[in-house]
Each structure stands twice: as structure tokens, then as C-alpha cells.
Amino acid sequence: MEFIDLKAQYRALKKSIDARIQKVLDHGQYILGPEVAEMEQKLAALTGAKHCISCASGTEALLMSLLALGIGRGDEVITTPFTFAATVEMIVLAGATPVYVDIEPDTCLIDATKLEAKITPRTKAIMPVSLYGQVADMDAINAIAARHGNIPVIEDAAQSFGASYKGRKSCNLSTIGCTSFFPSKPLGCYGDGGAIFTNDDGLAKALREIRVHGQERRYYHTRVGVGGRMDTLQCAVVLGKLERFEWEIERRLALGDQYRAMLQQSGTTAGLLAVRPDRDCVWAQYTIFVEGREAVQKALQEQGIPTAVHYPLSLNRQPAYRDDASAAETVHSHWAGERVMSLPMSADLTQEQMERVVSVLRRIL
């Protein structure tokens, strides 16, 4: 059993993906070719955002966003410690200081009720993470940001492209939304890729310049930038995958509901993530809570069922980003890190495979 079945997805889309890749090979415009603009237009339309700026990765999207906002040394960015390293990594690389806010214990999303207490005069951005495919409480976060001088809010939506929150789409809920097209994401390419979304014309212009080494025009550098372009070939792959993306999102939502119902009926001791009634979850990972995780994973692996952990150690406990003071406060992040376990999940997961996962998990627990 595959943890994420990219092979089945490719078989379903092979004709379209192959044709689009061949088209790029024929025209030879591997950097900022026509597929880049086509993909950006389609993704902007999907989210409802005015601008989509593709980039080299979801990680690069975060760094470019911080640079576009002028964030650097002496500034603070509020975020969650319970996320992949890229979130905090980019804050530190931009020269700023990460300020950690604990998560809600039932969703693993940043706890908006604890955010305001962390704002200082040095706070220059808030970076909530839409984890596992569910968006954080963006209205509450945006309202807090507005009360404190319209602090920019950057949604780290690497895992939630296609998700909805109060009828609006992830990536179009705040100042800037950033997503990833890493192959395992809800919408993935066949390498690294990402995109940034905004409704601010000035930020969009800055981001497009930053993407090409800060150039306003060729060899005329208006700002410090990066080599942040997304390859034309990877954009062609995303365009091919967009042909059934709506179906895949519907499938992920349905599979998440099925997993929940089956696990509840099975009588296992596994804890289930909450999904708030005002939003959905596209389940980039189908994650549960288990006690004695290492033994459970080993037993599942022996039965041919792969699992993963997203994430075992919160970032404020990691050697590179250690912050003992905040680690003492972020108790829910630490608790979750010891218990989260992700089960096989993709749009092509079959009913038979899901039943097998739940059956084996029930016997183990």
C-alpha cells in the first residue's frame, strides 16, 4: 500500500500530463514559458485572488512574502511551533525573530485566543499555518491584526490548497497566501513548486520582481531578490492535474468523512482531529492521535501499512530554533508531537484499502 498513491494519479492523468510536458519540450521555453502564466491565471481564478505569483517552492513563497513586506532584522513574526521547519526557517533567514503561539489541542491549528498577548511593537507579521488541510481561524486572526495597526497576515497554506473557510478559499483569506506544489500536496507537481496569492497590486509587483533577483526590468535591480521562478515543466504538470482537481478535492473530503466514521465505529482508542463547522479539511495528511506511537507504527508496517509523523518535535524544541521560554508555554504542541500519526491518504485511496487500514489499526489498539 502506498502512503500517497502518486502512481495511480499519474495513470489517470497520463495522457494530459504527457501531452503538456511534450508541448514544453517542443517550444523549449523552460523558464517563464507560457504555461507559467496560464497556471497562474487558473490558480488565481480557483482561489478568487487577484494575483497569483508562482515560485520555486512553498518555502520560497514564504521567504519572498517576508521580503516583499520588508521584514528583517529586529522584527518579530508570530507563528506556531507545530509545523514543518520551513515556516520558521524562512522567518529566521529573513533576519526576523519567530514568536511562538501554542495550538488548539483538538485541531493542531494556531490558537487565535492566545495570539494577541504575543503582539509587541516589533510584530511585523502573523503567519498562521493551515495544517493537515484545514485553515486556521483566519477571521479572528485578521481581526486581531487589524486592531494592532493592520499587521500583515501570511497564511502558510502549503497543505490546504483547495480548502474552504466560511465559503472562501484558502490562499485568499489574508494579506498573502502561500502554498506548495510538492508532490505529496493536495495539488502537486513532479518536483518543487509553489505559489503566492494576494489582492494587493503593490505586493504583487514586488513579489514578481523578487522572484527574478529583484529586477524591475532586465539587469535593473530595484530590490534584493532571489532566483525564485517555478520551472515551466512543473507548471505543465500542475495544469495537467488541474483537469481533475475539483474531483480530487471532493474525494478527499469524502474519504476524510469515511475515515472518521469508520474509526469511530471501530472502537479504537485513536483520537480524531476536529474539523470546525465553518470550514472543511482537504486532508493533505489524514492524521490521528495515538498513544505508544512507535509500537503502533511498527505493527502497522509489519502488516504492510505505511504511516508518517507530521511532526514529532515542535520547532521551539529543535536545536536550530530552540526557545525554552516559549517551549514551556506551548504544551499542546508538545503533547501533539508525541502522539500524531498520519495514515495512508490520497484521492485514489480505495474503499478496500481504507477498510484494511482501520481493521488492522483496530486490532493493534
Side-chain angles (χ1 to χ4, degrees):
M1 187 184 300
E2 300 279 350
F3 183 67
I4 298 171
D5 198 345
L6 295 175
K7 296 173 186 175
Q9 183 192 51
Y10 174 63
R11 286 193 296 269
L13 294 166
K14 183 179 185 338
K15 184 176 179 181
S16 175
I17 290 174
D18 287 358
R20 286 186 173 275
I21 289 174
Q22 187 61 53
K23 186 178 178 182
V24 176
L25 296 174
D26 289 340
H27 68 55
Q29 297 178 56
Y30 301 114
I31 303 297
L32 297 179
E35 285 78 8
V36 178
E38 182 186 355
M39 186 195 76
E40 289 175 343
Q41 290 164 6
K42 289 185 175 179
L43 297 182
L46 268 175
T47 62
K50 186 175 181 181
H51 301 282
C52 170
I53 300 94
S54 61
C55 56
S57 67
T59 304
E60 201 82 17
L62 296 174
L63 179 61
M64 289 169 57
S65 298
L66 292 166
L67 293 176
L69 291 166
I71 292 170
R73 193 171 302 279
D75 297 334
E76 295 176 350
V77 178
I78 297 174
T79 191
T80 165
F82 194 68
T83 178
F84 181 58
T87 308
V88 171
E89 182 180 49
M90 293 303 100
I91 295 170
V92 173
L93 280 177
T97 301
V99 175
Y100 300 102
V101 170
D102 204 7
I103 57 172
E104 300 170 338
D106 58 343
T107 66
C108 292
L109 300 168
I110 191 169
D111 189 339
T113 66
K114 297 179 179 178
L115 197 156
E116 199 157 17
K118 294 294 184 179
I119 294 176
T120 75
R122 295 185 297 279
T123 304
K124 301 303 178 186
I126 301 168
M127 192 182 288
V129 177
S130 297
L131 197 66
Y132 303 136
Q134 181 178 192
V135 174
D137 192 353
M138 296 299 288
D139 280 359
I141 294 166
N142 288 333
I144 292 167
R147 285 200 299 272
H148 290 268
N150 293 315
I151 298 169
V153 176
I154 304 169
E155 182 196 1
D156 181 345
Q159 299 179 14
S160 62
F161 192 79
S164 296
Y165 170 86
K166 298 184 179 182
R168 293 168 286 150
K169 289 294 186 183
S170 176
C171 293
N172 188 25
L173 300 170
S174 57
T175 316
I176 295 174
C178 299
T179 199
S180 167
F181 302 128
F182 188 79
S184 63
K185 304 302 183 187
L187 180 62
C189 57
Y190 289 158
D192 279 312
I196 308 166
F197 299 83
T198 185
N199 293 308
D200 186 303
D201 293 344
L203 282 176
K205 181 179 186 294
L207 287 161
R208 290 192 177 100
E209 291 177 6
I210 290 167
R211 178 174 66 177
V212 287
H213 303 282
Q215 295 178 98
E216 185 180 82
R217 58 182 186 272
R218 190 166 176 80
Y219 299 135
Y220 186 76
H221 302 267
T222 55
R223 61 185 79 239
V224 175
V226 295
R229 299 162 299 213
M230 183 172 171
D231 296 341
T232 307
L233 279 166
Q234 299 298 347
C235 292
V237 172
V238 171
L239 286 167
K241 290 193 176 189
L242 279 175
E243 294 184 9
R244 72 163 201 171
F245 183 60
E246 192 172 316
W247 173 84
E248 288 197 13
I249 291 298
E250 291 173 359
R251 181 76 177 140
R252 284 177 175 275
L253 297 175
L255 288 169
D257 290 342
Q258 285 181 271
Y259 250 141
R260 176 176 295 276
M262 291 170 66
L263 286 165
Q264 286 174 332
Q265 292 164 13
S266 73
T268 74
T269 57
L272 304 180
L273 280 168
V275 178
R276 299 286 185 244
D278 59 1
R279 64 201 85 159
D280 61 25
C281 182
V282 296
W283 298 113
Q285 298 90 21
Y286 192 84
T287 301
I288 60 175
F289 303 106
V290 294
E291 300 290 342
R293 180 178 61 206
E294 187 175 339
V296 174
Q297 284 189 285
K298 182 180 178 183
L300 285 166
Q301 187 62 51
E302 288 171 353
Q303 296 297 314
I305 297 173
T307 59
V309 177
H310 306 95
Y311 299 94
L313 188 63
S314 54
L315 293 178
N316 53 357
R317 293 172 183 265
Q318 296 278 0
Y321 310 108
R322 191 172 187 89
D323 182 344
D324 291 335
S326 70
E329 298 174 349
T330 55
V331 292
H332 296 313
S333 298
H334 182 57
W335 183 92
E338 294 182 329
R339 292 165 177 82
V340 287
M341 183 180 77
S342 301
L343 302 174
M345 180 65 174
S346 60
D348 294 287
L349 187 72
T350 67
Q351 184 72 25
E352 181 183 22
Q353 288 172 324
M354 182 183 289
E355 288 174 357
R356 183 161 174 265
V357 171
V358 175
S359 175
V360 173
L361 188 61
R362 181 186 57 173
R363 290 201 304 271
I364 294 167
L365 295 179

